[in-house]
Structure formats: structure tokens, C-alpha cells
């Protein structure tokens, strides 16, 4: 009896057989899942950046923000750092969540259930929230938004990566296509919210010399007294600029200063952003009347609770010294 060699004479191409395709979804770290997860995460980061650009306009600040238009113009340039960051976070966080969800779902249900991805994503989202709470100490509302953003930015790309692994060979172009539409929709919604008054752009309160007269404190024992006759006096005020120049801790007593001086209020020409409080206290190193020094105290806060803000250090990333009444 002749030996079966597997040669099929009925096929013109001989005994060639197509390679077997393994059953089930591809490995979590396959090319398809890596690309889909990174693409979805990049789109999510861009949407989060756009939403933050809208929200930033409403935040109390010492300087006007670039606004949503500036944020939108920055989106194309974000690919330089956004794509590598999305790829790294996808490999370090998103795909491990997909892998853990696949393992847990298989062991407990015997099948790959999609809802395990957002369930597992709760763990890293909570860890991110804890880190933000410890380092920045924001309020409860900010922590809630941090957790929600973390959950969305992990679970969303994870679900799309899972979908690409199961049957989404053409999912990658759709992620970027739908992402571009989402960016346009978010921009339209944000501009409409400002136009109809649901969101309001922040502006410093309008003040005058009479309102500024009084005692202002830094919350750490330092005060600045502004008298109605134009005289001023510092008591334990901190000279951050000198500490920054010495690369030293500004809390040291060496950089606390006390002495008399003068002050004057400048209302500015166009908007409340142009307001300045010029103070000259020799012992504190404050000489805002020097025409060669672009300094002075900025006005911030609200009409009910105005603040005096002085910048120091690096002009590109300055420190902020704040006094409240």
C-alpha cells in the first residue's frame, strides 16, 4: 500500500497547504492591538487637552490663557510628544489592563467579556487619583474629574484595542477619522457654551487705589500694609527673587524682610489684565518704579476676594507669590 505523502494530485499547485490560522484573538501585545490602543489613546489625550483648554479659560488666573483657539492650533504639533507618550502609556497601562481583563474573564466565565476591561481599569485610575491627591492636594471636584478622566483614557483605548484584536483589521483609520470628527464637535460645543453664557471667560476684578488700601497677608506670617497716603510697610514679607537668585529655600528667615516704602496703583489702558500695583520697599528688594524692571504686583482673585500676585524666578515658568486681604 503506497505511503501517503500528503501530495494532492488534484491541485495544480501540488501539495502546498495554506498556513493554519490560530483560533481565538491574537496576543495582547500583537501589532494590531498595540497600534489600535496607541491610536485610541492619542485621540483621547487630544480630546482631553481640548476640553481642558476650554475649562482653563474659566479658571482664576494671573494671566490670560491662550483659549480654545490656541489649544486647537497646538493639536497638530502635539504629535511630536503625544504619539510617543500614547505609545508608552498604551504598553505600560492600557494593554496590561486588556491582558488582565482577558485572563480574569476567561477564568471566571470561560469567554472574553468586554465589561471586564472597564472593571479592571478602575485599579490604575484609582492609583492615578491617589498620586494626584498626595502630590497636588486638589479639591474633591478635581479628584473626581481626575478619576473619571483616568478611567475613560484607560478603558476606552482598552476596549478599542480589544475590538481590533477580535475583528478590527480596518479599525485604525476609523479611530483617527472619528477622532477628528470628535475634536470638531467638542470645539463647536465649547464655543456654543461660551456664546450662550453657560461658560464665562475669567477676568481679574476691577480695583482702584481705595480698594487696595489695607493690609495684605501671604498666609505665612508676612504682611504688606498699603496706606491711603501712598506709604507702605512690609512685615516679614518674603523676598522670593533673592532666594531664587541664591538657589535657596525662600522660607529661611534670611529672606524675610521688614521696612517702609511707597506704593501706587496703575489701572492699565485696555483691560483689567493690565492693572498693576507698584510697590517700592528697599529692604525687600522691591523697586517697581524702576523703568528698566518689568515687575509689579498683578491683580487676581474675585471682586469679593481680590488677590495681589507677584511673579519671580524663571520668566518661562515663574513662581507665584500671592497676598490676600
Amino acid at each position: 500500500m503506497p505511503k501517503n505523502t500528503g501530495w494532492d494530485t488534484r491541485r495544480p499547485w501540488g501539495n502546498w497547504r495554506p498556513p493554519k490560522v490560530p483560533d481565538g484573538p491574537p496576543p495582547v501585545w500583537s501589532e494590531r492591538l498595540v497600534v489600535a490602543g496607541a491610536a485610541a489613546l492619542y485621540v483621547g489625550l487630544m480630546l482631553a487637552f481640548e476640553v481642558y483648554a476650554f475649562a482653563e479659560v474659566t479658571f482664576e488666573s494671573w494671566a490670560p490663557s491662550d483659549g480654545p483657539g490656541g489649544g486647537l492650533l497646538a493639536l497638530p504639533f502635539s504629535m511630536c510628544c503625544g504619539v510617543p507618550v500614547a505609545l508608552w502609556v498604551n504598553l505600560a497601562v492600557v494593554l496590561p489592563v486588556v491582558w488582565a481583563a482577558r485572563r480574569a474573564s476567561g477564568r471566571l466565565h470561560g469567554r472574553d467579556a468586554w465589561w471586564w476591561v472597564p472593571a479592571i481599569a478602575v485599579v490604575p485610575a484609582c492609583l492615578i487619583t491617589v498620586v494626584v491627591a498626595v502630590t497636588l492636594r486638589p479639591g474633591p471636584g478635581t479628584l473626581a474629574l481626575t478619576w473619571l478622566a483616568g478611567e475613560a483614557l484607560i478603558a476606552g483605548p482598552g476596549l478599542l484595542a480589544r475590538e481590533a484584536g477580535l475583528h478590527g483589521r480596518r479599525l485604525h483609520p476609523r479611530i483617527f477619522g472619528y477622532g477628528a470628527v470628535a475634536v470638531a464637535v467638542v470645539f463647536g460645543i465649547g464655543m456654543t457654551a461660551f456664546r450662550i453664557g453657560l461658560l464665562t471667560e475669567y477676568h481679574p476684578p476691577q480695583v482702584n487705589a481705595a480698594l487696595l488700601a489695607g493690609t495684605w497677608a501671604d498666609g505665612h506670617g508676612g504682611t504688606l500694609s498699603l496706606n491711603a497716603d501712598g506709604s507702605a510697610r512690609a512685615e516679614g514679607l518674603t523676598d522670593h527673587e533673592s532666594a531664587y537668585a541664591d538657589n535657596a529655600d525662600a522660607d529661611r528667615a534670611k529672606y524675610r524682610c521688614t521696612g517702609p516704602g511707597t506704593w501706587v496703583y496703575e489701572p492699565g489702558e485696555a483691560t483689567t489684565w493690565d492693572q498693576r500695583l507698584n510697590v517700592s520697599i528697599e529692604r525687600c528688594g522691591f523697586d517697581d518704579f524702576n523703568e528698566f524692571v518689568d515687575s509689579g504686583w498683578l491683580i487676581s482673585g474675585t471682586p469679593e476676594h481680590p488677590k495681589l500676585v507677584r511673579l519671580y524666578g524663571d520668566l518661562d515658568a515663574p513662581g507665584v507669590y500671592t497676598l490676600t486681604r
Side-chain angles (χ1 to χ4, degrees), residues 13-38:
W13 54 83
N15 66 343
W16 179 85
R17 297 290 189 275
K20 290 186 176 181
V21 179
D23 297 330
V28 170
W29 280 271
S30 66
E31 178 184 356
R32 196 192 310 175
L33 272 75
V34 170
V35 174

Side-chain angles (χ1 to χ4, degrees), residues 182-279:
V183 168
V185 169
V186 169
F187 184 80
I189 293 175
M191 294 301 294
T192 302
F194 277 102
R195 184 173 294 276
I196 65 178
L198 291 178
L199 296 176
T200 305
E201 183 177 356
Y202 171 79
H203 289 278
Q206 180 67 59
V207 298
N208 52 46
L211 183 61
L212 293 177
T215 301
W216 301 78
D218 63 4
H220 300 281
T223 61
L224 174 64
S225 297
L226 305 177
N227 302 318
D229 60 0
S231 63
R233 182 169 183 82
E235 293 286 347
L237 213 61
T238 302
D239 184 1
H240 285 85
E241 196 66 55
S242 297
Y244 179 83
D246 295 342
N247 194 25
D249 184 2
D251 291 334
R252 291 169 54 185
K254 176 182 178 181
Y255 300 103
R256 291 278 181 175
C257 59
T258 299
T262 58
W263 69 279
V264 66
Y265 165 69
E266 293 185 358
E269 297 180 357
T271 68
T272 55
W273 293 107
D274 300 328
Q275 299 175 104
R276 291 291 187 276
L277 170 66
N278 293 328
V279 179

Side-chain angles (χ1 to χ4, degrees), residues 7-298:
W7 189 274
D8 192 348
T9 58
R10 293 174 297 176
R11 297 187 178 186
W13 54 83
N15 66 343
W16 179 85
R17 297 290 189 275
K20 290 186 176 181
V21 179
D23 297 330
V28 170
W29 280 271
S30 66
E31 178 184 356
R32 196 192 310 175
L33 272 75
V34 170
V35 174
L41 185 58
Y42 174 76
V43 171
L45 289 173
M46 295 304 99
L47 289 172
F49 175 77
E50 187 181 15
V51 171
Y52 177 79
F54 275 107
E56 186 184 25
V57 179
T58 67
F59 295 163
E60 178 184 312
S61 177
W62 48 264
S65 65
D66 294 332
L72 190 63
L73 290 175
L75 288 180
F77 302 98
S78 65
M79 295 186 66
C80 299
C81 59
V83 171
V85 168
L87 182 60
W88 183 86
V89 175
N90 180 50
L91 292 173
V93 181
V94 175
L95 292 186
V97 167
V98 176
W99 175 85
R102 181 181 292 180
R103 297 278 294 182
S105 180
R107 287 180 177 274
L108 297 178
H109 302 283
R111 57 185 178 84
D112 187 8
W114 68 268
W115 51 266
W116 271 99
V117 174
I120 298 294
V122 170
V123 177
C126 289
L127 291 177
I128 294 172
T129 305
V130 170
V131 171
V132 171
V134 173
T135 56
L136 302 180
R137 298 180 181 179
T142 303
L143 289 178
L145 288 176
T146 300
W147 180 87
L148 184 62
E151 175 71 12
L153 289 175
I154 296 172
L159 289 171
L160 288 172
R162 173 185 175 276
E163 179 69 15
L166 292 176
H167 38 68
R169 292 183 177 275
R170 297 183 179 181
L171 187 61
H172 308 152
R174 283 184 288 170
I175 291 176
F176 286 110
Y178 293 146
V181 173
V183 168
V185 169
V186 169
F187 184 80
I189 293 175
M191 294 301 294
T192 302
F194 277 102
R195 184 173 294 276
I196 65 178
L198 291 178
L199 296 176
T200 305
E201 183 177 356
Y202 171 79
H203 289 278
Q206 180 67 59
V207 298
N208 52 46
L211 183 61
L212 293 177
T215 301
W216 301 78
D218 63 4
H220 300 281
T223 61
L224 174 64
S225 297
L226 305 177
N227 302 318
D229 60 0
S231 63
R233 182 169 183 82
E235 293 286 347
L237 213 61
T238 302
D239 184 1
H240 285 85
E241 196 66 55
S242 297
Y244 179 83
D246 295 342
N247 194 25
D249 184 2
D251 291 334
R252 291 169 54 185
K254 176 182 178 181
Y255 300 103
R256 291 278 181 175
C257 59
T258 299
T262 58
W263 69 279
V264 66
Y265 165 69
E266 293 185 358
E269 297 180 357
T271 68
T272 55
W273 293 107
D274 300 328
Q275 299 175 104
R276 291 291 187 276
L277 170 66
N278 293 328
V279 179
S280 179
I281 300 178
E282 183 177 356
R283 294 183 182 180
C284 293
F286 300 151
D287 187 11
D288 298 335
F289 298 104
N290 188 336
E291 62 180 348
F292 300 105
V293 178
D294 183 15
S295 54
W297 296 81
L298 309 178

